[in-house]
């Protein structure tokens, strides 16, 4: 029996406010709270709440035979907690069914796997703690930011204890092989890999409402025929996409919710089955080792990481951010840790891209910047002020650790005009 594996990514970045050079050293509120609130509440209204309600109904109506998987970033959960707590409640309802799997990933949707194995592991650990706290689940499968994967990254994920990982079924990696089978990591064959069928996934995520597409309109019946067809040979068809596909990228008036409502029943009636990521990975035996010596992702036609690290602006920002790693970790300061977390989010680097992005309309939606250079300047202004605050925090830490009798530094050198706790309370209110 062919398995359909549906996986949805849930993520919203903390968007930065317009932060000028003249704010540095004086004003330490970095986040655009009105914008973050309005976007989260809009996406909750148009996507998260109606789609979660629909999935819950589909699970119940089909006696638990309809199953799917999610990954939800810690950054997104922070915003749900602050601006749309009812969304968290609806995800908890889905978790309680036992038919929905929540995958591990990086807490802040970061590029840490490209920077530091230590920071990558810490991000994954924090995300696992969040899943246990919010949904009472411990992740067994893993999905890296933007499906970034290589043999080396897969090996690191296996060392963290995961036994299944998602990756892109990129043509330049797969060659003649089909993504519709289970594979294993080249360095640690205990790690099983599920590869995205990008054509069938993008038929929903990108092409569903495209009237110039020669297959438009896409009906559930037509789509199930493609899934069940002998022209789609394999053990498992992996359909991975942004959750915001439903109601945001593809608006309700396109019929996307009606499509999803009809899909499970027609698929089950055609002899297909649904499974979570872990179920699909262990229901079928691996057919081969996947060799991927170079990093790939699910972004753009190139399926590489140049969408985030493809120009001098991005690389300079990325390098300066991760150069602060050891200093931030040494402080054990919750305020600094919080800012360090949201500054790592990959979206900040995506906004700096200067290449032509084939899927840019989807991946850069709600982009608050007029240009890549505008995004770079704003990010670097915030990062520069964060460095000033970090130095002040280090001075306070050193003063507190000084032995008795040591001369104290003047207050002006040790106390900032405004403690960074204010921005933390704003973000986590």
């Amino acid at each position: 029996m062919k398995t359909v594996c549906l996986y949805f990514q849930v993520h919203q970045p903390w968007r930065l406010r317009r932060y000028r050079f003249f704010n540095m050293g004086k004003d330490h509120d970095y986040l655009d709270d009105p914008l973050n609130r309005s976007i989260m509440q809009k996406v909750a209204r148009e996507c998260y709440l109606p789609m979660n309600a629909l999935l819950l109904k589909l699970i119940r109506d089909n006696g638990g035979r309809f199953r799917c998987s999610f990954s939800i970033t810690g950054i997104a959960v922070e915003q749900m907690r602050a601006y749309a707590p009812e969304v968290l409640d609806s995800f908890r309802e889905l978790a309680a069914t036992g038919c929905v799997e929540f995958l591990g990933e990086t807490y802040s949707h970061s590029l840490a796997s490209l920077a530091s194995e230590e920071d990558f592991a810490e991000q994954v650990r924090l995300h696992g703690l969040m899943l246990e706290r919010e949904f009472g689940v411990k992740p067994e499968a893993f999905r890296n930011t933007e499906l970034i994967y290589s043999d080396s990254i897969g090996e690191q994920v296996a060392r963290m204890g995961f036994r299944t990982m998602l990756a892109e079924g990129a043509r330049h990696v797969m060659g003649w092989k089909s993504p519709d089978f289970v594979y294993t990591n080249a360095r640690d064959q205990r790690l099983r890999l599920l590869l995205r069928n990008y054509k069938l996934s993008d038929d929903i995520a990108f092409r569903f409402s495209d009237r110039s597409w020669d297959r438009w309109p896409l009906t559930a019946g037509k789509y199930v025929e493609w899934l069940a067809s002998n022209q789609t040979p394999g053990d498992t068809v992996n359909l991975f996409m942004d959750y915001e596909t439903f109601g945001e990228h593809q608006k309700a008036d396109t019929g996307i919710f009606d499509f999803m409502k009809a899909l499970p029943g027609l698929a089950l009636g055609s002899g297909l089955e649904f499974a979570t990521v872990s179920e699909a990975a262990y229901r079928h035996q691996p057919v081969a080792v996947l060799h991927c010596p170079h990093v790939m992702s699910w972004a753009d036609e190139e399926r590489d990481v140049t969408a985030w690290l493809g120009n001098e602006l991005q690389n300079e920002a990325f390098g300066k951010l991760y150069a602060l790693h050891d200093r931030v970790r040494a402080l054990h300061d919750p305020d600094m840790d919080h800012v360090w977390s949201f500054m790592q989010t990959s979206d900040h680097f995506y906004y700096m891209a200067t290449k032509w992005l084939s899927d840019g309309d989807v991946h850069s939606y709600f982009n608050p910047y007029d240009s890549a250079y505008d995004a770079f300047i704003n990010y670097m202004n915030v990062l520069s002020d964060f460095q000033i605050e970090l130095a002040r925090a280090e001075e306070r830490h050193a003063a507190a650790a000084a032995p008795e009798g040591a001369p104290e530094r003047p207050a002006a050198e040790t106390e900032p005009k405004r403690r960074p706790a204010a921005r933390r309370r704003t973000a986590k209110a």
Side-chain angles (χ1 to χ4, degrees):
M1 183 178 292
K2 188 183 295 184
T3 301
V4 177
C5 182
L6 274 169
Y7 153 79
F8 307 113
Q9 171 196 276
V10 181
H11 169 62
Q12 289 296 326
W14 280 115
R15 292 166 178 86
L16 304 177
R17 59 176 282 219
R18 293 286 175 161
Y19 194 84
R20 309 301 182 189
F21 173 82
F22 300 103
N23 296 117
M24 288 191 291
K26 304 173 184 177
D27 177 358
H28 314 302
D29 293 325
Y30 303 144
L31 301 178
D32 190 333
D33 289 319
L35 180 62
N36 288 316
R37 180 185 298 108
S38 66
I39 290 175
M40 174 52 68
Q41 291 179 349
K42 178 179 185 292
V43 179
R45 182 174 62 253
E46 297 186 357
C47 171
Y48 300 153
L49 291 173
M51 191 60 180
N52 282 2
L54 176 57
L55 293 183
L56 186 63
K57 185 176 187 302
L58 292 173
I59 289 169
R60 291 171 174 169
D61 289 351
N62 290 284
R65 291 191 299 158
F66 174 72
R67 310 173 79 79
C68 62
S69 302
F70 286 94
S71 69
I72 305 180
T73 65
I75 294 290
V77 167
E78 288 177 2
Q79 293 178 74
M80 292 174 190
R81 194 184 302 129
Y83 307 132
E86 66 277 16
V87 173
L88 280 179
D89 291 337
S90 66
F91 275 115
R92 292 186 188 110
E93 276 193 278
L94 288 173
T97 65
C99 298
V100 175
E101 181 179 14
F102 290 84
L103 277 58
E105 71 152 83
T106 57
Y107 182 90
S108 61
H109 200 68
S110 76
L111 303 174
S113 61
L114 305 177
S116 159
E117 184 172 351
E118 177 190 358
D119 208 64
F120 183 37
E122 177 64 9
Q123 282 267 311
V124 175
R125 185 187 72 83
L126 291 173
H127 185 265
L129 292 175
M130 181 275 294
L131 288 181
E132 289 191 66
R133 181 177 63 250
E134 296 292 344
F135 308 113
V137 298
K138 184 176 181 179
E140 298 178 359
F142 187 77
R143 182 264 187 195
N144 197 17
T145 303
E146 304 293 347
L147 288 193
I148 290 173
Y149 176 81
S150 69
D151 294 339
S152 175
I153 292 172
E155 184 182 27
Q156 293 172 43
V157 169
R159 282 201 297 268
M160 295 177 199
F162 295 99
R163 290 294 172 260
T164 304
M165 185 174 178
L166 307 188
E168 175 70 5
R171 187 178 303 165
H172 70 277
V173 173
M174 299 302 296
W176 57 268
K177 297 187 290 293
S178 167
D180 301 328
F181 293 93
V182 179
Y183 293 84
T184 62
N185 174 260
R187 296 190 182 183
D188 190 332
Q189 295 184 28
R190 293 175 300 174
L191 183 72
R192 298 191 177 199
L193 301 174
L194 291 187
L195 308 179
R196 187 175 84 114
N197 185 312
Y198 64 84
K199 181 184 181 302
L200 288 170
S201 298
D202 290 351
D203 285 343
I204 299 175
F206 295 120
R207 291 182 281 273
F208 184 83
S209 59
D210 182 3
R211 290 174 177 262
S212 66
W213 181 33
D214 61 1
R215 301 295 185 92
W216 188 89
L218 180 59
T219 64
K222 184 190 298 184
Y223 194 72
V224 167
E225 287 180 10
W226 297 348
L227 296 178
S229 169
N230 291 331
Q231 296 180 9
T232 311
D235 295 329
T236 176
V237 184
N238 303 312
L239 307 175
F240 305 163
M241 63 199 76
D242 290 333
Y243 200 37
E244 293 81 10
T245 293
F246 302 92
E248 266 299 327
H249 304 327
Q250 306 294 340
K251 299 297 184 182
D253 60 10
T254 66
I256 191 69
F257 289 106
D258 293 331
F259 170 87
M260 196 62 204
K261 183 178 180 180
L263 182 66
L266 291 173
L268 292 168
S270 297
L272 300 169
E273 65 172 1
F274 289 91
T276 66
V277 164
S278 292
E279 289 169 344
Y282 279 89
R283 196 161 290 176
H284 305 284
Q285 287 299 310
V287 297
V289 169
L290 181 72
H291 293 277
C292 185
H294 304 294
V295 178
M296 67 172 174
S297 77
W298 72 350
D300 311 321
E301 292 181 358
E302 296 85 356
R303 302 295 199 263
D304 58 17
V305 296
T306 55
W308 305 277
L309 298 175
N311 63 39
E312 292 181 5
L313 302 178
Q314 294 166 314
N315 284 297
E316 181 177 352
F318 185 79
K320 289 195 173 182
L321 173 69
Y322 279 96
L324 302 177
H325 169 269
D326 292 343
R327 294 172 61 189
V328 174
R329 286 287 174 255
L331 281 175
H332 304 289
D333 184 316
D335 297 316
M336 295 297 164
D337 288 343
H338 180 62
V339 179
W340 167 251
S341 176
F342 68 68
M343 289 296 283
Q344 291 185 68
T345 302
S346 64
D347 302 69
H348 301 311
F349 302 96
Y350 199 92
Y351 297 147
M352 301 176 201
T354 51
K355 60 179 281 191
W356 184 79
L357 302 172
S358 58
D359 56 357
D361 287 344
V362 170
H363 281 275
S364 63
Y365 85 122
F366 295 136
N367 183 344
Y369 301 106
D370 297 327
S371 69
Y373 187 70
D374 185 28
F376 171 75
I377 292 298
N378 200 67
Y379 183 86
M380 295 304 288
N381 284 344
V382 172
L383 187 60
S384 295
D385 185 75
F386 179 53
Q387 287 180 280
I388 295 171
E389 287 291 280
L390 183 60
R392 289 172 170 170
E394 288 170 332
E395 289 182 358
R396 292 194 301 272
H397 182 76
E404 285 190 35
E408 294 185 2
R409 298 191 184 193
E413 294 183 19
T414 59
E415 291 297 326
K417 292 184 178 179
R418 184 176 180 186
R419 292 297 305 277
R423 61 172 174 264
R424 185 165 173 252
R425 285 198 302 271
T426 301
K428 293 190 172 183

